[in-house]
Amino acid sequence: MSHPFRHLRIAVSAALVAATIVTPTLGSGSAHALDNGLALTPPMGWSSWNRFGCDIDQWKIREIADAMVSSGLKDAGYRYVNVDDCWQAVQRLPNGDLTWNPQRFPDGIPGLARYVHAKGLKLGIYGNPGKRSCASWSGSYEGEMGSLGHEYQDARTFARWGVDYLKYDDCWSKVDGVSASHAFITMSQALHATGRPIVYSIHNMPQQPVPSWIPKVANLWRTTADITDNWVSVATIALLTLPLAQYAQPGAWNDPDMLEVGNGGLTLPESRSHLTLWAMLAAPLILGNDIRTMSPETRELLTNRLMLSVDQDQLGRAAVPVHMERGWVLLRPLTGNRWAVSLTNVSETPLVLSVTPQELGLAGHWTYQEAWSGHAGTLTGALTRQVNPHDSALFVLTSGTSPRG
């Protein structure tokens, strides 16, 4: 049996090759992005899929909304409650409108939207550009409820229901003769035509390279295949998303998929790294755990103020690698002449990771605060920490002059 981290080494090599082809810089984002005034920082919320898959109903979603408030997640910035696949009825209504599974959602999606909105939260829904959803393709759910040929009708339906976020997920729509660009652009236009502010999240296949049309029509777009609840998946997805930093900007975000923190497959250090890397990538933070039963340790990780401030920084520029020989050292510009620096140990042994001000391009006087330990101090030489296997340190540097370049 091969060592499980052999796959990570292979992915590292592949991503580094890709990075030599598309080298990320600290310049501004792509020139054109969707201008709908939404998602000016990466969306934060929760989605049903990672933890529950098709096992969803209105009572479970309502309990999640309750828990988002009572746990402090709402106050920390998590606002979207996203219902993923398997909410749909098997057939449309006689007039062609979408409708919900009446056994799972007897009060309907509008009733669920009212409940979620009354909590000060927002509701997300799931759709597809072809005829069938991903769960339908896999055989785990009945029906052909994709939006092909119904894009404007479905957008009006979502708006009428009170939906605030649409995840539009491409699952083998090419079998239906769908052009990905045409399908995703059409739904973008349809959502705009409703007049309702609806964040638009798309999952195109293949995910890379990012076609030039995607940032113009979507607020966020998936960068890789689906995440799974293990360290190899988390690290590989982060590595493959790093070369796409140039695309990130307010209103338009690379999406390395939902979080797995709290689902049991990651250790505490791996969970810290998961959040550190997603924050440095300026990634959406969409929780995938059962927040009704999450541990105090998980809640503490997810509500870490410094980590969240990095992810939600209004400058909206993603991190780039400084060096990645022994561990990963990433640098992300922040507002107010501040910089985020992360040190991640992807190896199986403890490492002393270090980066000098010169490597960061820094001059002058800098202070720092580290997110996970709370330690603060003055940068008097190299930024050095011993980092345990699969763990990360996340620093915010303040004051001083701007990095070169």
Side-chain angles (χ1 to χ4, degrees):
M1 180 180 295
S2 61
H3 193 282
F5 287 93
R6 175 176 177 273
H7 301 292
L8 179 55
R9 292 195 296 271
I10 292 171
V12 168
S13 300
L16 290 178
V17 168
T20 65
I21 299 171
V22 183
T23 303
T25 69
L26 283 175
S28 61
S30 55
H32 303 287
L34 178 63
D35 185 18
N36 61 2
L38 302 175
L40 298 181
T41 60
M44 294 173 58
W46 175 89
S47 170
S48 59
W49 185 256
N50 279 7
R51 185 65 171 181
F52 299 116
C54 272
D55 184 20
I56 58 171
D57 56 49
Q58 69 178 35
W59 302 280
K60 188 172 291 182
I61 304 301
R62 287 182 175 189
E63 289 175 358
I64 290 292
D66 294 343
M68 285 184 71
V69 176
S70 63
S71 67
L73 289 174
K74 174 194 167 187
D75 289 341
Y78 297 92
R79 294 298 171 87
Y80 291 96
V81 179
N82 294 346
V83 182
D84 209 280
D85 206 349
C86 309
W87 62 268
Q88 313 92 324
V90 175
Q91 295 181 337
R92 290 175 177 264
L93 296 174
N95 66 355
D97 279 354
L98 279 173
T99 190
W100 49 84
N101 183 308
Q103 287 74 42
R104 296 180 177 214
F105 296 89
D107 295 330
I109 301 302
L112 183 61
R114 289 191 294 271
Y115 188 91
V116 168
H117 291 160
K119 299 284 181 181
L121 301 168
K122 297 179 181 294
L123 183 73
I125 205 76
Y126 174 92
N128 306 89
K131 293 180 180 179
R132 301 171 68 179
S133 75
C134 290
S136 176
W137 268 108
S138 69
S140 56
Y141 198 72
E142 293 183 295
E144 294 189 5
M145 298 291 282
S147 291
L148 181 60
H150 296 271
E151 290 87 355
Y152 280 82
Q153 182 178 18
D154 290 355
R156 290 191 296 269
T157 297
F158 294 145
R160 186 173 68 251
W161 288 349
V163 167
D164 306 293
Y165 182 117
L166 172 64
K167 175 183 174 181
Y168 208 45
D169 191 3
D170 180 16
C171 274
W172 295 100
S173 63
K174 62 184 178 182
V175 174
D176 300 321
V178 172
S179 160
S181 59
H182 180 266
F184 286 113
I185 291 170
T186 299
M187 181 53 80
S188 180
Q189 294 169 339
L191 292 173
H192 179 74
T194 69
R196 181 174 179 81
I198 299 176
V199 171
Y200 187 36
S201 166
I202 69 173
H203 183 186
N204 187 34
M205 293 182 180
Q207 294 82 18
Q208 293 190 29
V210 176
S212 60
W213 57 266
I214 282 184
K216 301 175 186 177
V217 304
N219 295 115
L220 55 151
W221 52 88
R222 281 281 300 281
T223 59
T224 69
D226 291 353
I227 197 169
T228 53
D229 189 16
N230 61 76
W231 168 244
V232 172
S233 177
V234 168
T236 301
I237 286 175
L239 193 65
L240 292 173
T241 303
L242 270 172
L244 307 178
Q246 60 185 316
Y247 297 105
Q249 59 183 298
W253 309 104
N254 296 309
D255 177 13
D257 207 0
M258 299 167 284
L259 293 166
E260 292 284 8
V261 175
N263 279 334
L266 301 174
T267 65
L268 183 62
E270 290 166 353
S271 296
R272 279 194 293 263
S273 286
H274 192 357
L275 290 166
T276 296
L277 292 167
W278 264 231
M280 293 297 284
L281 291 168
L285 299 181
I286 305 298
L287 309 179
N289 61 314
D290 187 347
I291 61 177
R292 301 171 301 177
T293 58
M294 67 180 172
S295 67
E297 292 78 12
T298 295
R299 179 192 175 280
E300 185 176 358
L301 289 176
L302 296 177
T303 57
N304 183 280
R305 291 189 177 184
L306 197 60
M307 177 275 295
L308 292 176
S309 75
V310 172
D311 181 80
Q312 294 290 295
D313 188 78
Q314 294 182 356
L315 189 62
R317 290 160 66 185
V320 298
V322 177
H323 58 72
M324 303 184 73
E325 291 82 4
R326 299 179 67 240
W328 299 354
V329 179
L330 308 181
L331 175 68
R332 178 181 175 183
L334 305 175
T335 53
N337 194 29
R338 297 173 305 126
W339 297 80
V341 179
S342 64
L343 311 176
T344 299
N345 179 0
V346 297
S347 79
E348 301 299 298
T349 58
L351 291 177
V352 175
L353 299 181
S354 183
V355 62
T356 67
Q358 291 73 28
E359 289 175 300
L360 296 173
L362 294 175
H365 178 81
W366 293 85
T367 59
Y368 67 83
Q369 184 174 2
E370 201 282 314
W372 305 115
S373 66
H375 293 163
T378 299
L379 187 62
T380 57
L383 192 62
T384 302
R385 286 294 184 278
Q386 177 167 307
V387 184
N388 289 324
H390 305 176
D391 208 345
S392 289
L394 175 60
F395 300 89
V396 171
L397 308 183
T398 304
S399 296
T401 58
S402 297
R404 297 189 300 269

